[in-house]
Every structure is written in structure tokens, then in C-alpha cells.
Amino acid sequence: MDPSILFVDHASDVGGAELSLLDTAMHWAAPLCVALMQPGPFRDLLRDQGVPSTLVEAGEAVLGVRRGGGWDQGLRAAAGIPRLAHQLARLARSYDVVYANTQKSLIVGGPAAWMAGRPLVWHLHDILSAEHFSAMNRRLPVLVANRFCARVIANSSATAEAFVREGGNPDLVGVVPNGFSGAPFDRDSEEEIAALRHALGLDGKPLAGMFGRLAPWKGQHVFIRAVAAVPGLHAVIVGGALFGEQVYEEELKLLCAELGVRDRVHFLGFRRDIPRLMRMMTLIVHASTAAEPFGRVLVEAMLARSPLIASRAGGALEIVEDGVTGRLVAPGSVAELRAAMARILAEPGEAATMADQARRAAVANFSTEVMIDGIRREIGRVLPAPATDPLPGGRGGSTAISG
């Protein structure tokens, strides 16, 4: 039987880490609760899916720590951590495991799990590198993980290796790739896909799609420049500016004007109909300029049977086989991305073959069942074996943590 879990997440918006948590919670066969540090769309999504949650509200000093923040931000946040940790500890005593889903939830969840006498599992969704995080935001979570974690679940080997390079204990780490259901990508008929194209005013146009939050390291600016160099190709950008990156969104729109492609670049913002939109695309691009820890968009594109182009770095190397399930290009290279898009448009038969092979690989390697089995395996490493009743006719005990 699965152990009961108190998940902890700080986010209000819905990012990749939050979608992974949602998938895990919806398939977990034991009592659970998601402790959130602020209200917002993520809590609404949990409620809509019937996943129980509770608020342990953090102040701005804790929530305001940014990826590039220094030790001054960390020191200001430290004052609010004891109160949050005590609140979480009280909740945690009702569960077998504390499961921190983000760095901020790790910093609070570490002492909370220790006070509650419960094992702490950290699901690491980020590559801890100077390209993504300040020195403080790399070193502090590693120190906390080494001190408090019973297990660190990394979403790719690239993520695990970065943790170890920053001083993380390699004996703590297990790799569990994100998992996905293929069903949402088979739900819509060709007629429904065509109707969506028509509703968006995109009939008869070759479409290059890019999915994910707007952020400089995600490379939307690279994507726009490459699309501008392919005559007739339209770009569809799906995703919003999360985590204070609205300035970048405005810069992208100015870039479209500068390149004369405002009529060929379509910003759709945050959408919930991702599978249908992916099915609509002629091709899908992942253009991150820095190594991606996993890249859930990659697997989603593969499930949608959309020809895929991805940056040759990080977790993408563990998902996409160049020339077999997609095309890999140098991160940040407008020229390579333009050439890859032009080839897919010029050779649709080859692209369709790759897309079919990609779908089969995604189903085999990145299913929800594979992910849940992996998480069960890693959590099982930190729980004591069930006690066995030595008395004749007795029943074996169940897994439990005392505290």
C-alpha cells in the first residue's frame, strides 16, 4: 500500500513542477494533502481535480526570493521560516512522508519534517547551475538537502548530475523521469482540430508551435527570429509570463514589430487545451538557450505526433534521439533552428515517420505508470520494511513512521 504523503509546494501559478505534482497526486493510492504557501490558479486546479489542499501562507519575504537573488534575500526570508516550519510540522505528523516539490518548499519542509519525525523527499525539477540560479539559490538547497533529505528524486540524469556537482550527496539521488498519459492527445477528431484552426484564423497556414512560460532562457526570441527567416511560416506561442517576466513578453512583441512579422506570430497566452493545440501544429519547437532539466513539452509533442525540434542540451538529450524521434539543434542558434524547420516543411514524409517513432518512444518510456512506479520505488527506500508478526496466525504490520 502507498504511504500517505504531505506534498508541499510554494507556487500560486501552474508550472511544470506543479503539473508533475498533480499527476502524482491523482494517481496516488493513499491519503494525501498538498500544503500550499499561497492561493492562486494552482490551488484552483487541485480543487477542480479533487485533490485536497491546505494553505500554510508564507509572507512576501519568503515568496519574494528570486532565482537570481543573493544572500540578502535569503536572510530576509529566514525570519519567516520557523513559523512556517512549525505549521507544516503539525500537519506532517498525520502523514508518513513529507514531499517537497520546489526549492522554497524544501527550505521550509526540511526543518518541518525533522520536527515531525518524518522522512523528507525532495523532487528536484531544476538544473542547479549558474545559468539558472544565483550562488545562494544553488548552495542553500544543497545544504538543506544534505542535512534533512532522506531521498532526492531528480527528473533527469542531467538534473541529478547538476545537484552532485553543486555538492549534493550522490547517495541521496534517484532519477525518475516525468510521466504522461497519451489519452488527452487522442481525444480530439481531425474535424475538431480543423475547427480550432478555423476559430483561431489559421486555416491553410504552416504552423510552428512553442509551448511554455515566457522567459528569456526558454528562447522565444530565438524562435521568433528563426520563424521570421522561413517565408510563410506562422509562429504560435502558447504560455504566459510567470514569475515576474512580463517585461520579456513586451520585448518579444517589440521584436516581432522590428522583424516585420507581427502578422505571423500569434501569442495565445495561457491555455488549458494544450493537447488539441499541439495536434494543430505542423511542427513544435523547444528552443531553450540553457540546459532544460527535463522538458515536459518534448514528451507532450511526441505524444501529439507533432514533428519536434529541440535544443541539444540537458534533459532533451535523454528524451529526443536526433534524426529518429526529432531534430536536435544547438541552443540559441537561429540558423540551425531555421534550417531544421525548413527541412521539416520540405520533407513531410520524413517528418511524419519521425513523429510516429516519437509517439511510440514516449508511450514506452514516459508514461504516468512508469513515473508513479519510480516514485514508489524511491519513497520505498526511505521507509522501514513492514513489521512481521512472529506469532502463529498473526498478520504482518503495515508500513509506519513513528515520531
Side-chain angles (χ1 to χ4, degrees):
M1 180 178 175
D2 289 338
S4 59
I5 296 183
L6 178 66
F7 293 97
V8 188
D9 196 294
H10 79 277
S12 61
D13 292 315
V14 182
E18 287 67 45
L19 290 172
S20 177
L21 188 159
L22 176 65
D23 289 338
T24 303
M26 290 178 63
H27 291 84
W28 201 252
L32 62 90
C33 183
V34 181
L36 298 171
M37 296 186 192
Q38 56 186 320
F42 183 41
R43 192 180 193 196
D44 296 339
L45 179 59
L46 292 169
R47 183 194 60 237
D48 293 345
Q49 297 300 324
V51 177
S53 67
T54 188
L55 278 178
V56 181
E57 292 198 58
E60 179 55 33
V62 174
L63 296 174
V65 175
R66 300 301 177 207
R67 287 174 172 242
W71 290 100
D72 56 335
Q73 282 192 2
L75 289 172
R76 286 196 297 271
I81 290 174
R83 176 185 62 82
L84 290 173
H86 278 284
Q87 287 181 271
L88 275 176
R90 286 196 294 271
L91 288 171
R93 293 188 181 99
S94 299
Y95 297 89
D96 296 324
V97 177
V98 178
Y99 192 109
N101 195 54
T102 62
Q103 290 196 43
K104 289 175 184 175
S105 61
L106 167 73
I107 303 305
V108 177
W114 176 77
M115 285 187 281
R118 299 296 186 265
L120 175 69
V121 174
W122 178 28
H123 200 143
L124 177 55
H125 298 276
D126 295 304
I127 287 185
L128 298 178
S129 70
E131 293 173 300
H132 293 284
F133 294 99
S134 67
M136 186 272 289
N137 281 308
R138 300 194 308 274
R139 294 170 187 165
L140 183 58
V142 168
L143 289 171
V144 173
N146 286 345
R147 169 64 181 84
F148 292 109
C149 280
R151 201 71 183 152
V152 175
I153 297 175
N155 61 1
S156 68
S157 294
T159 298
E161 289 161 5
F163 172 75
V164 173
R165 281 197 302 271
E166 289 295 327
N169 180 354
D171 294 334
L172 291 176
V173 188
V175 175
V176 179
N178 291 342
F180 308 81
S181 168
F185 298 88
D186 298 328
R187 197 167 288 151
D188 299 304
S189 67
E190 292 297 331
E191 290 75 17
E192 288 171 314
I193 303 302
L196 178 60
R197 267 181 170 263
H198 180 72
L200 293 172
L202 298 172
D203 285 332
K205 298 176 174 64
L207 304 177
M210 189 168 179
F211 295 76
R213 67 185 178 90
L214 304 183
W217 75 273
K218 290 287 189 178
Q220 283 89 359
H221 58 289
V222 176
F223 176 55
I224 290 170
R225 289 185 181 279
V227 167
V230 181
L233 181 61
H234 284 243
V236 179
I237 298 177
V238 181
L242 307 179
F243 314 122
E245 287 161 336
Q246 286 78 10
V247 171
Y248 181 61
E249 181 175 8
E250 293 307 312
E251 290 173 352
L252 293 175
K253 292 177 179 178
L254 289 173
L255 177 63
C256 293
E258 175 189 318
L259 297 174
V261 292
R262 282 188 298 184
D263 60 331
R264 289 203 284 133
V265 180
H266 311 275
F267 292 87
L268 300 191
F270 179 79
R271 302 274 298 215
R272 293 194 181 275
D273 54 345
I274 298 302
R276 185 179 295 182
L277 285 165
M278 285 190 164
R279 291 266 310 276
M280 190 181 78
M281 300 301 160
T282 310
L283 60 95
I284 290 175
V285 171
H286 162 275
S288 294
T289 59
E292 187 90 43
F294 180 82
R296 62 182 295 123
V297 166
L298 302 175
V299 180
E300 290 173 334
M302 293 162 74
L303 289 170
R305 292 188 178 89
S306 291
L308 174 64
I309 303 169
S311 293
R312 191 187 298 111
L317 297 174
E318 302 167 44
I319 298 172
V320 181
E321 185 176 356
D322 193 21
V324 178
T325 58
R327 295 285 176 197
L328 294 174
V329 298
S333 174
V334 173
E336 285 194 28
L337 179 54
R338 183 209 61 77
M341 290 193 296
R343 179 168 178 175
I344 286 174
L345 295 175
E347 301 181 15
E350 177 188 73
T353 298
M354 282 197 303
D356 287 339
Q357 292 176 142
R359 166 71 185 219
R360 289 193 291 271
V363 170
N365 300 319
F366 304 106
S367 69
T368 304
E369 292 75 18
V370 168
M371 178 183 72
I372 297 298
D373 286 347
I375 290 173
R376 286 192 178 106
R377 179 190 69 237
E378 295 303 323
I379 291 178
R381 294 175 182 271
V382 308
L383 295 173
T388 302
D389 191 336
L391 297 177
R395 294 179 298 172
S398 61
T399 300
I401 301 291
S402 59

